[in-house]
Amino acid sequence: MRTVPITPVRLAAGPLILRPWAPEDAAVLAALYDDAALRRWASAPVHDGPSAARWLAEQRHGWETGERLAFAVEEDARPAGHVVLKRPASTAATAEVGYWTAAHARGRGVAPRALTALADWAFTTFAGDGLTRLDLLHQVDNTASCRVAEKSGFALSGLLPAAPPDFPLDGHRHIREAPRAT
């Protein structure tokens, strides 16, 4: 288990800002989760202010342990999505990324831009730790996630069997390799 805190950072992705989630985001987070499509694909149990506050505390803890580095994706100073880098071991060659996009921001390239910025940052920041590959996993019926993965440079690499309850249906694994040093 990683026990090395990572200092939270802010990243720019064109007009988007990726910043750590903050406690004051609870109300807007709960409102974003009022979207049925978001609840279908995201696994977080956010349904009101207190559950949003718990989720935000978990994200802060992820930075403190270095295991889960979560960013609010802001567009025009309001949350438009979420991206996360999951690194349970500080010396692992592979990490996982995840994301979701708010209803008001879907279909406009927010997720691919944010994921690309996250991946570029991760490969630069953790190259010395040996990070060489990022995985993006999603259910096979989530065709929008396939498009986002491809636009973000994550190639489809294989099928994953269902693993209920967290992954109830078969899935896709997309990978993005670290850039080769020239």
Side-chain angles (χ1 to χ4, degrees):
M1 176 182 271
R2 184 180 185 115
T3 58
V4 178
I6 303 295
T7 302
V9 298
R10 292 174 65 93
L11 308 173
L16 304 176
I17 299 296
L18 282 63
R19 59 149 176 94
W21 287 96
E24 56 270 19
D25 293 320
V28 72
L29 180 66
L32 293 174
Y33 264 89
D34 198 30
D35 170 36
L38 177 56
R39 286 191 316 272
R40 177 179 181 201
W41 301 116
S43 61
V46 174
H47 53 276
D48 59 13
S51 61
R54 283 189 297 276
W55 186 86
L56 292 167
E58 290 170 9
Q59 306 321 301
R60 185 178 59 253
H61 180 71
W63 284 95
E64 292 167 355
T65 63
E67 295 176 342
R68 183 178 174 87
L69 311 178
F71 294 85
V73 178
E74 280 190 349
E75 182 180 48
D76 298 324
R78 83 182 222 203
H82 163 79
V83 291
V84 61
L85 176 69
K86 304 170 196 175
R87 288 204 71 211
S90 63
T91 58
T94 302
E96 184 182 340
V97 297
Y99 79 96
W100 53 256
T101 308
H104 70 270
R106 289 190 196 119
R108 296 188 292 105
V110 168
R113 287 192 310 255
L115 277 172
T116 298
L118 177 69
D120 293 346
W121 171 78
F123 286 134
T124 300
T125 302
F126 300 108
D129 292 343
L131 181 65
T132 59
R133 189 180 94 193
L134 295 174
D135 289 357
L136 185 154
L137 312 176
H138 66 83
Q139 289 184 181
V140 294
D141 59 339
N142 190 341
T143 57
S145 280
C146 263
R147 288 190 302 273
V148 167
E150 291 168 359
K151 289 177 182 179
S152 307
F154 287 80
L156 180 63
S157 71
L159 297 176
L160 301 169
D166 293 335
F167 217 68
L169 301 175
D170 290 345
H172 286 167
R173 177 188 310 275
H174 295 262
I175 63 168
R176 181 170 165 185
E177 301 284 344
R180 303 242 184 250
T182 55

